[in-house]
């Protein structure tokens, strides 16, 4: 086992812990905003795990999945924040 493989294993274990924490917050989160942030965190963890796997195995086969997950997370966050901002306005400000 090389040093890169050992570091990759440690990173994947820590990312797994982060994924479990994000899934817990998705299930338990008291508000929709907590669940949305946890979903973004889960997408980031998945993207990071794919990047670690690519670094350890010396390939770039999964780069498309990383980009797609990043775009989905960004679009979802922007959409939800615009929806929440619109919902918090006073009725007289919406027009």
């Amino acid at each position: 086992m090389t040093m890169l493989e050992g570091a990759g294993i440690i990173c994947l274990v820590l990312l797994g812990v982060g994924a479990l924490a994000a899934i817990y917050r998705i299930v338990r989160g008291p508000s929709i905003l907590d669940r949305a942030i946890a979903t973004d965190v889960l997408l980031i963890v998945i993207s990071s795990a794919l990047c670690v796997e690519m670094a350890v195995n010396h390939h770039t086969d999964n780069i498309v999945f990383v980009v797609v997950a990043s775009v989905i997370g960004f679009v979802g966050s922007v959409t939800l924040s615009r929806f929440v901002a619109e919902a918090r306005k006073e009725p007289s400000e919406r027009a």
Side-chain angles (χ1 to χ4, degrees):
M1 175 187 296
T2 65
M3 188 176 228
L4 180 64
E5 290 172 346
I9 290 171
I10 292 170
C11 286
L12 290 176
V13 167
L14 293 175
L15 287 170
V17 171
L20 289 175
I23 290 170
Y24 174 78
R25 182 50 55 194
I26 290 171
V27 172
R28 295 282 311 216
S31 71
I32 190 71
L33 293 176
D34 290 330
R35 289 183 172 101
I37 291 171
T39 303
D40 286 341
V41 169
L42 187 60
L43 281 171
I44 291 169
V45 167
I46 290 169
S47 297
S48 300
L50 286 172
C51 290
V52 168
E53 189 272 329
M54 287 188 295
V56 169
N57 293 325
H58 306 291
H59 66 83
T60 57
D61 296 340
N62 298 331
I63 197 72
V64 173
F65 299 121
V66 172
V67 171
V68 168
S70 300
V71 169
I72 288 172
F74 174 74
V75 170
S77 296
V78 169
T79 303
L80 186 68
S81 65
R82 295 186 102 194
F83 174 75
V84 169
E86 186 68 27
R88 291 185 182 216
K89 286 183 180 177
E90 293 294 324
S92 61
E93 296 176 352
R94 290 185 188 169

mmCIF file with all atom_site columns, all heavy atoms in Angstrom, residues 65-87:
data_model
loop_
_atom_site.group_PDB
_atom_site.id
_atom_site.type_symbol
_atom_site.label_atom_id
_atom_site.label_alt_id
_atom_site.label_comp_id
_atom_site.label_asym_id
_atom_site.label_entity_id
_atom_site.label_seq_id
_atom_site.pdbx_PDB_ins_code
_atom_site.Cartn_x
_atom_site.Cartn_y
_atom_site.Cartn_z
_atom_site.occupancy
_atom_site.B_iso_or_equiv
_atom_site.pdbx_formal_charge
_atom_site.auth_seq_id
_atom_site.auth_comp_id
_atom_site.auth_asym_id
_atom_site.auth_atom_id
_atom_site.pdbx_PDB_model_num
ATOM 1   N N   . PHE A 1 65 ? -19.524 12.842 -13.814 1.00 0.00 ? 65 PHE A N   1
ATOM 2   C CA  . PHE A 1 65 ? -20.436 12.710 -12.681 1.00 0.00 ? 65 PHE A CA  1
ATOM 3   C C   . PHE A 1 65 ? -20.178 13.787 -11.628 1.00 0.00 ? 65 PHE A C   1
ATOM 4   O O   . PHE A 1 65 ? -21.115 14.287 -11.014 1.00 0.00 ? 65 PHE A O   1
ATOM 5   C CB  . PHE A 1 65 ? -20.314 11.319 -12.050 1.00 0.00 ? 65 PHE A CB  1
ATOM 6   C CG  . PHE A 1 65 ? -20.670 10.213 -12.997 1.00 0.00 ? 65 PHE A CG  1
ATOM 7   C CD1 . PHE A 1 65 ? -19.748 9.230  -13.306 1.00 0.00 ? 65 PHE A CD1 1
ATOM 8   C CD2 . PHE A 1 65 ? -21.917 10.162 -13.577 1.00 0.00 ? 65 PHE A CD2 1
ATOM 9   C CE1 . PHE A 1 65 ? -20.063 8.212  -14.171 1.00 0.00 ? 65 PHE A CE1 1
ATOM 10  C CE2 . PHE A 1 65 ? -22.247 9.141  -14.455 1.00 0.00 ? 65 PHE A CE2 1
ATOM 11  C CZ  . PHE A 1 65 ? -21.334 8.167  -14.754 1.00 0.00 ? 65 PHE A CZ  1
ATOM 12  N N   . VAL A 1 66 ? -18.925 14.144 -11.437 1.00 0.00 ? 66 VAL A N   1
ATOM 13  C CA  . VAL A 1 66 ? -18.586 15.205 -10.476 1.00 0.00 ? 66 VAL A CA  1
ATOM 14  C C   . VAL A 1 66 ? -19.168 16.536 -10.942 1.00 0.00 ? 66 VAL A C   1
ATOM 15  O O   . VAL A 1 66 ? -19.771 17.280 -10.154 1.00 0.00 ? 66 VAL A O   1
ATOM 16  C CB  . VAL A 1 66 ? -17.058 15.299 -10.295 1.00 0.00 ? 66 VAL A CB  1
ATOM 17  C CG1 . VAL A 1 66 ? -16.684 16.504 -9.467  1.00 0.00 ? 66 VAL A CG1 1
ATOM 18  C CG2 . VAL A 1 66 ? -16.514 14.030 -9.677  1.00 0.00 ? 66 VAL A CG2 1
ATOM 19  N N   . VAL A 1 67 ? -19.021 16.834 -12.215 1.00 0.00 ? 67 VAL A N   1
ATOM 20  C CA  . VAL A 1 67 ? -19.546 18.091 -12.754 1.00 0.00 ? 67 VAL A CA  1
ATOM 21  C C   . VAL A 1 67 ? -21.070 18.108 -12.684 1.00 0.00 ? 67 VAL A C   1
ATOM 22  O O   . VAL A 1 67 ? -21.671 19.115 -12.295 1.00 0.00 ? 67 VAL A O   1
ATOM 23  C CB  . VAL A 1 67 ? -19.041 18.312 -14.196 1.00 0.00 ? 67 VAL A CB  1
ATOM 24  C CG1 . VAL A 1 67 ? -19.739 19.491 -14.850 1.00 0.00 ? 67 VAL A CG1 1
ATOM 25  C CG2 . VAL A 1 67 ? -17.541 18.507 -14.207 1.00 0.00 ? 67 VAL A CG2 1
ATOM 26  N N   . VAL A 1 68 ? -21.717 17.011 -13.034 1.00 0.00 ? 68 VAL A N   1
ATOM 27  C CA  . VAL A 1 68 ? -23.182 16.942 -12.997 1.00 0.00 ? 68 VAL A CA  1
ATOM 28  C C   . VAL A 1 68 ? -23.689 17.103 -11.566 1.00 0.00 ? 68 VAL A C   1
ATOM 29  O O   . VAL A 1 68 ? -24.653 17.843 -11.321 1.00 0.00 ? 68 VAL A O   1
ATOM 30  C CB  . VAL A 1 68 ? -23.679 15.624 -13.629 1.00 0.00 ? 68 VAL A CB  1
ATOM 31  C CG1 . VAL A 1 68 ? -25.152 15.391 -13.349 1.00 0.00 ? 68 VAL A CG1 1
ATOM 32  C CG2 . VAL A 1 68 ? -23.434 15.635 -15.120 1.00 0.00 ? 68 VAL A CG2 1
ATOM 33  N N   . ALA A 1 69 ? -23.069 16.451 -10.611 1.00 0.00 ? 69 ALA A N   1
ATOM 34  C CA  . ALA A 1 69 ? -23.481 16.590 -9.208  1.00 0.00 ? 69 ALA A CA  1
ATOM 35  C C   . ALA A 1 69 ? -23.293 18.022 -8.725  1.00 0.00 ? 69 ALA A C   1
ATOM 36  O O   . ALA A 1 69 ? -24.137 18.557 -7.993  1.00 0.00 ? 69 ALA A O   1
ATOM 37  C CB  . ALA A 1 69 ? -22.698 15.621 -8.325  1.00 0.00 ? 69 ALA A CB  1
ATOM 38  N N   . SER A 1 70 ? -22.220 18.674 -9.151  1.00 0.00 ? 70 SER A N   1
ATOM 39  C CA  . SER A 1 70 ? -21.986 20.067 -8.766  1.00 0.00 ? 70 SER A CA  1
ATOM 40  C C   . SER A 1 70 ? -23.045 20.991 -9.358  1.00 0.00 ? 70 SER A C   1
ATOM 41  O O   . SER A 1 70 ? -23.565 21.884 -8.677  1.00 0.00 ? 70 SER A O   1
ATOM 42  C CB  . SER A 1 70 ? -20.606 20.524 -9.228  1.00 0.00 ? 70 SER A CB  1
ATOM 43  O OG  . SER A 1 70 ? -19.610 19.722 -8.653  1.00 0.00 ? 70 SER A OG  1
ATOM 44  N N   . VAL A 1 71 ? -23.389 20.785 -10.613 1.00 0.00 ? 71 VAL A N   1
ATOM 45  C CA  . VAL A 1 71 ? -24.404 21.617 -11.260 1.00 0.00 ? 71 VAL A CA  1
ATOM 46  C C   . VAL A 1 71 ? -25.772 21.392 -10.623 1.00 0.00 ? 71 VAL A C   1
ATOM 47  O O   . VAL A 1 71 ? -26.514 22.348 -10.373 1.00 0.00 ? 71 VAL A O   1
ATOM 48  C CB  . VAL A 1 71 ? -24.446 21.340 -12.785 1.00 0.00 ? 71 VAL A CB  1
ATOM 49  C CG1 . VAL A 1 71 ? -25.655 21.987 -13.435 1.00 0.00 ? 71 VAL A CG1 1
ATOM 50  C CG2 . VAL A 1 71 ? -23.176 21.829 -13.438 1.00 0.00 ? 71 VAL A CG2 1
ATOM 51  N N   . ILE A 1 72 ? -26.107 20.154 -10.328 1.00 0.00 ? 72 ILE A N   1
ATOM 52  C CA  . ILE A 1 72 ? -27.392 19.859 -9.683  1.00 0.00 ? 72 ILE A CA  1
ATOM 53  C C   . ILE A 1 72 ? -27.458 20.524 -8.314  1.00 0.00 ? 72 ILE A C   1
ATOM 54  O O   . ILE A 1 72 ? -28.476 21.122 -7.947  1.00 0.00 ? 72 ILE A O   1
ATOM 55  C CB  . ILE A 1 72 ? -27.610 18.339 -9.582  1.00 0.00 ? 72 ILE A CB  1
ATOM 56  C CG1 . ILE A 1 72 ? -27.912 17.760 -10.957 1.00 0.00 ? 72 ILE A CG1 1
ATOM 57  C CG2 . ILE A 1 72 ? -28.754 18.011 -8.618  1.00 0.00 ? 72 ILE A CG2 1
ATOM 58  C CD1 . ILE A 1 72 ? -27.952 16.260 -11.001 1.00 0.00 ? 72 ILE A CD1 1
ATOM 59  N N   . GLY A 1 73 ? -26.391 20.447 -7.546  1.00 0.00 ? 73 GLY A N   1
ATOM 60  C CA  . GLY A 1 73 ? -26.369 21.087 -6.239  1.00 0.00 ? 73 GLY A CA  1
ATOM 61  C C   . GLY A 1 73 ? -26.507 22.587 -6.334  1.00 0.00 ? 73 GLY A C   1
ATOM 62  O O   . GLY A 1 73 ? -27.253 23.216 -5.575  1.00 0.00 ? 73 GLY A O   1
ATOM 63  N N   . PHE A 1 74 ? -25.813 23.206 -7.288  1.00 0.00 ? 74 PHE A N   1
ATOM 64  C CA  . PHE A 1 74 ? -25.875 24.657 -7.458  1.00 0.00 ? 74 PHE A CA  1
ATOM 65  C C   . PHE A 1 74 ? -27.272 25.099 -7.880  1.00 0.00 ? 74 PHE A C   1
ATOM 66  O O   . PHE A 1 74 ? -27.850 26.024 -7.294  1.00 0.00 ? 74 PHE A O   1
ATOM 67  C CB  . PHE A 1 74 ? -24.841 25.104 -8.487  1.00 0.00 ? 74 PHE A CB  1
ATOM 68  C CG  . PHE A 1 74 ? -24.938 26.563 -8.815  1.00 0.00 ? 74 PHE A CG  1
ATOM 69  C CD1 . PHE A 1 74 ? -24.492 27.517 -7.918  1.00 0.00 ? 74 PHE A CD1 1
ATOM 70  C CD2 . PHE A 1 74 ? -25.491 26.983 -10.016 1.00 0.00 ? 74 PHE A CD2 1
ATOM 71  C CE1 . PHE A 1 74 ? -24.594 28.868 -8.208  1.00 0.00 ? 74 PHE A CE1 1
ATOM 72  C CE2 . PHE A 1 74 ? -25.592 28.322 -10.314 1.00 0.00 ? 74 PHE A CE2 1
ATOM 73  C CZ  . PHE A 1 74 ? -25.139 29.263 -9.412  1.00 0.00 ? 74 PHE A CZ  1
ATOM 74  N N   . VAL A 1 75 ? -27.826 24.458 -8.888  1.00 0.00 ? 75 VAL A N   1
ATOM 75  C CA  . VAL A 1 75 ? -29.157 24.844 -9.377  1.00 0.00 ? 75 VAL A CA  1
ATOM 76  C C   . VAL A 1 75 ? -30.209 24.621 -8.301  1.00 0.00 ? 75 VAL A C   1
ATOM 77  O O   . VAL A 1 75 ? -31.104 25.450 -8.105  1.00 0.00 ? 75 VAL A O   1
ATOM 78  C CB  . VAL A 1 75 ? -29.492 24.074 -10.674 1.00 0.00 ? 75 VAL A CB  1
ATOM 79  C CG1 . VAL A 1 75 ? -30.944 24.271 -11.079 1.00 0.00 ? 75 VAL A CG1 1
ATOM 80  C CG2 . VAL A 1 75 ? -28.578 24.516 -11.797 1.00 0.00 ? 75 VAL A CG2 1
ATOM 81  N N   . GLY A 1 76 ? -30.105 23.531 -7.578  1.00 0.00 ? 76 GLY A N   1
ATOM 82  C CA  . GLY A 1 76 ? -31.057 23.274 -6.499  1.00 0.00 ? 76 GLY A CA  1
ATOM 83  C C   . GLY A 1 76 ? -30.980 24.309 -5.398  1.00 0.00 ? 76 GLY A C   1
ATOM 84  O O   . GLY A 1 76 ? -32.010 24.782 -4.895  1.00 0.00 ? 76 GLY A O   1
ATOM 85  N N   . SER A 1 77 ? -29.787 24.699 -5.033  1.00 0.00 ? 77 SER A N   1
ATOM 86  C CA  . SER A 1 77 ? -29.608 25.709 -3.980  1.00 0.00 ? 77 SER A CA  1
ATOM 87  C C   . SER A 1 77 ? -30.151 27.070 -4.414  1.00 0.00 ? 77 SER A C   1
ATOM 88  O O   . SER A 1 77 ? -30.833 27.750 -3.643  1.00 0.00 ? 77 SER A O   1
ATOM 89  C CB  . SER A 1 77 ? -28.138 25.857 -3.616  1.00 0.00 ? 77 SER A CB  1
ATOM 90  O OG  . SER A 1 77 ? -27.656 24.674 -3.065  1.00 0.00 ? 77 SER A OG  1
ATOM 91  N N   . VAL A 1 78 ? -29.850 27.463 -5.626  1.00 0.00 ? 78 VAL A N   1
ATOM 92  C CA  . VAL A 1 78 ? -30.327 28.748 -6.120  1.00 0.00 ? 78 VAL A CA  1
ATOM 93  C C   . VAL A 1 78 ? -31.843 28.751 -6.222  1.00 0.00 ? 78 VAL A C   1
ATOM 94  O O   . VAL A 1 78 ? -32.510 29.720 -5.827  1.00 0.00 ? 78 VAL A O   1
ATOM 95  C CB  . VAL A 1 78 ? -29.674 29.076 -7.482  1.00 0.00 ? 78 VAL A CB  1
ATOM 96  C CG1 . VAL A 1 78 ? -30.347 30.268 -8.138  1.00 0.00 ? 78 VAL A CG1 1
ATOM 97  C CG2 . VAL A 1 78 ? -28.198 29.325 -7.306  1.00 0.00 ? 78 VAL A CG2 1
ATOM 98  N N   . THR A 1 79 ? -32.421 27.679 -6.716  1.00 0.00 ? 79 THR A N   1
ATOM 99  C CA  . THR A 1 79 ? -33.873 27.595 -6.842  1.00 0.00 ? 79 THR A CA  1
ATOM 100 C C   . THR A 1 79 ? -34.544 27.665 -5.481  1.00 0.00 ? 79 THR A C   1
ATOM 101 O O   . THR A 1 79 ? -35.525 28.409 -5.297  1.00 0.00 ? 79 THR A O   1
ATOM 102 C CB  . THR A 1 79 ? -34.257 26.284 -7.556  1.00 0.00 ? 79 THR A CB  1
ATOM 103 O OG1 . THR A 1 79 ? -33.618 26.235 -8.825  1.00 0.00 ? 79 THR A OG1 1
ATOM 104 C CG2 . THR A 1 79 ? -35.762 26.191 -7.738  1.00 0.00 ? 79 THR A CG2 1
ATOM 105 N N   . LEU A 1 80 ? -34.036 26.923 -4.530  1.00 0.00 ? 80 LEU A N   1
ATOM 106 C CA  . LEU A 1 80 ? -34.635 26.932 -3.201  1.00 0.00 ? 80 LEU A CA  1
ATOM 107 C C   . LEU A 1 80 ? -34.472 28.283 -2.514  1.00 0.00 ? 80 LEU A C   1
ATOM 108 O O   . LEU A 1 80 ? -35.409 28.778 -1.882  1.00 0.00 ? 80 LEU A O   1
ATOM 109 C CB  . LEU A 1 80 ? -34.018 25.832 -2.334  1.00 0.00 ? 80 LEU A CB  1
ATOM 110 C CG  . LEU A 1 80 ? -34.671 25.672 -0.968  1.00 0.00 ? 80 LEU A CG  1
ATOM 111 C CD1 . LEU A 1 80 ? -36.078 25.140 -1.123  1.00 0.00 ? 80 LEU A CD1 1
ATOM 112 C CD2 . LEU A 1 80 ? -33.854 24.768 -0.102  1.00 0.00 ? 80 LEU A CD2 1
ATOM 113 N N   . SER A 1 81 ? -33.322 28.919 -2.666  1.00 0.00 ? 81 SER A N   1
ATOM 114 C CA  . SER A 1 81 ? -33.123 30.217 -2.023  1.00 0.00 ? 81 SER A CA  1
ATOM 115 C C   . SER A 1 81 ? -34.023 31.282 -2.639  1.00 0.00 ? 81 SER A C   1
ATOM 116 O O   . SER A 1 81 ? -34.555 32.136 -1.924  1.00 0.00 ? 81 SER A O   1
ATOM 117 C CB  . SER A 1 81 ? -31.661 30.648 -2.105  1.00 0.00 ? 81 SER A CB  1
ATOM 118 O OG  . SER A 1 81 ? -31.289 30.862 -3.441  1.00 0.00 ? 81 SER A OG  1
ATOM 119 N N   . ARG A 1 82 ? -34.241 31.235 -3.938  1.00 0.00 ? 82 ARG A N   1
ATOM 120 C CA  . ARG A 1 82 ? -35.164 32.187 -4.566  1.00 0.00 ? 82 ARG A CA  1
ATOM 121 C C   . ARG A 1 82 ? -36.591 31.932 -4.108  1.00 0.00 ? 82 ARG A C   1
ATOM 122 O O   . ARG A 1 82 ? -37.348 32.877 -3.881  1.00 0.00 ? 82 ARG A O   1
ATOM 123 C CB  . ARG A 1 82 ? -35.067 32.101 -6.087  1.00 0.00 ? 82 ARG A CB  1
ATOM 124 C CG  . ARG A 1 82 ? -33.707 32.543 -6.593  1.00 0.00 ? 82 ARG A CG  1
ATOM 125 C CD  . ARG A 1 82 ? -33.665 32.585 -8.061  1.00 0.00 ? 82 ARG A CD  1
ATOM 126 N NE  . ARG A 1 82 ? -33.783 34.011 -8.409  1.00 0.00 ? 82 ARG A NE  1
ATOM 127 C CZ  . ARG A 1 82 ? -34.044 34.464 -9.591  1.00 0.00 ? 82 ARG A CZ  1
ATOM 128 N NH1 . ARG A 1 82 ? -34.240 33.624 -10.585 1.00 0.00 ? 82 ARG A NH1 1
ATOM 129 N NH2 . ARG A 1 82 ? -34.119 35.746 -9.834  1.00 0.00 ? 82 ARG A NH2 1
ATOM 130 N N   . PHE A 1 83 ? -36.966 30.675 -3.969  1.00 0.00 ? 83 PHE A N   1
ATOM 131 C CA  . PHE A 1 83 ? -38.307 30.333 -3.501  1.00 0.00 ? 83 PHE A CA  1
ATOM 132 C C   . PHE A 1 83 ? -38.512 30.818 -2.072  1.00 0.00 ? 83 PHE A C   1
ATOM 133 O O   . PHE A 1 83 ? -39.542 31.413 -1.752  1.00 0.00 ? 83 PHE A O   1
ATOM 134 C CB  . PHE A 1 83 ? -38.524 28.821 -3.582  1.00 0.00 ? 83 PHE A CB  1
ATOM 135 C CG  . PHE A 1 83 ? -39.817 28.373 -2.990  1.00 0.00 ? 83 PHE A CG  1
ATOM 136 C CD1 . PHE A 1 83 ? -41.009 28.588 -3.659  1.00 0.00 ? 83 PHE A CD1 1
ATOM 137 C CD2 . PHE A 1 83 ? -39.846 27.725 -1.764  1.00 0.00 ? 83 PHE A CD2 1
ATOM 138 C CE1 . PHE A 1 83 ? -42.211 28.173 -3.110  1.00 0.00 ? 83 PHE A CE1 1
ATOM 139 C CE2 . PHE A 1 83 ? -41.032 27.318 -1.206  1.00 0.00 ? 83 PHE A CE2 1
ATOM 140 C CZ  . PHE A 1 83 ? -42.217 27.539 -1.885  1.00 0.00 ? 83 PHE A CZ  1
ATOM 141 N N   . VAL A 1 84 ? -37.539 30.595 -1.209  1.00 0.00 ? 84 VAL A N   1
ATOM 142 C CA  . VAL A 1 84 ? -37.656 31.018 0.192   1.00 0.00 ? 84 VAL A CA  1
ATOM 143 C C   . VAL A 1 84 ? -37.664 32.537 0.289   1.00 0.00 ? 84 VAL A C   1
ATOM 144 O O   . VAL A 1 84 ? -38.430 33.116 1.066   1.00 0.00 ? 84 VAL A O   1
ATOM 145 C CB  . VAL A 1 84 ? -36.512 30.407 1.038   1.00 0.00 ? 84 VAL A CB  1
ATOM 146 C CG1 . VAL A 1 84 ? -36.446 31.029 2.407   1.00 0.00 ? 84 VAL A CG1 1
ATOM 147 C CG2 . VAL A 1 84 ? -36.699 28.904 1.147   1.00 0.00 ? 84 VAL A CG2 1
ATOM 148 N N   . ALA A 1 85 ? -36.841 33.200 -0.502  1.00 0.00 ? 85 ALA A N   1
ATOM 149 C CA  . ALA A 1 85 ? -36.813 34.667 -0.477  1.00 0.00 ? 85 ALA A CA  1
ATOM 150 C C   . ALA A 1 85 ? -38.154 35.234 -0.937  1.00 0.00 ? 85 ALA A C   1
ATOM 151 O O   . ALA A 1 85 ? -38.639 36.220 -0.375  1.00 0.00 ? 85 ALA A O   1
ATOM 152 C CB  . ALA A 1 85 ? -35.690 35.188 -1.363  1.00 0.00 ? 85 ALA A CB  1
ATOM 153 N N   . GLU A 1 86 ? -38.744 34.612 -1.923  1.00 0.00 ? 86 GLU A N   1
ATOM 154 C CA  . GLU A 1 86 ? -40.047 35.066 -2.406  1.00 0.00 ? 86 GLU A CA  1
ATOM 155 C C   . GLU A 1 86 ? -41.136 34.797 -1.381  1.00 0.00 ? 86 GLU A C   1
ATOM 156 O O   . GLU A 1 86 ? -42.033 35.613 -1.181  1.00 0.00 ? 86 GLU A O   1
ATOM 157 C CB  . GLU A 1 86 ? -40.389 34.370 -3.735  1.00 0.00 ? 86 GLU A CB  1
ATOM 158 C CG  . GLU A 1 86 ? -41.644 34.863 -4.391  1.00 0.00 ? 86 GLU A CG  1
ATOM 159 C CD  . GLU A 1 86 ? -41.523 36.293 -4.915  1.00 0.00 ? 86 GLU A CD  1
ATOM 160 O OE1 . GLU A 1 86 ? -40.408 36.720 -5.231  1.00 0.00 ? 86 GLU A OE1 1
ATOM 161 O OE2 . GLU A 1 86 ? -42.557 36.966 -4.993  1.00 0.00 ? 86 GLU A OE2 1
ATOM 162 N N   . ALA A 1 87 ? -41.056 33.680 -0.698  1.00 0.00 ? 87 ALA A N   1
ATOM 163 C CA  . ALA A 1 87 ? -42.080 33.322 0.286   1.00 0.00 ? 87 ALA A CA  1
ATOM 164 C C   . ALA A 1 87 ? -42.010 34.212 1.523   1.00 0.00 ? 87 ALA A C   1
ATOM 165 O O   . ALA A 1 87 ? -43.022 34.428 2.198   1.00 0.00 ? 87 ALA A O   1
ATOM 166 C CB  . ALA A 1 87 ? -41.929 31.861 0.694   1.00 0.00 ? 87 ALA A CB  1
#
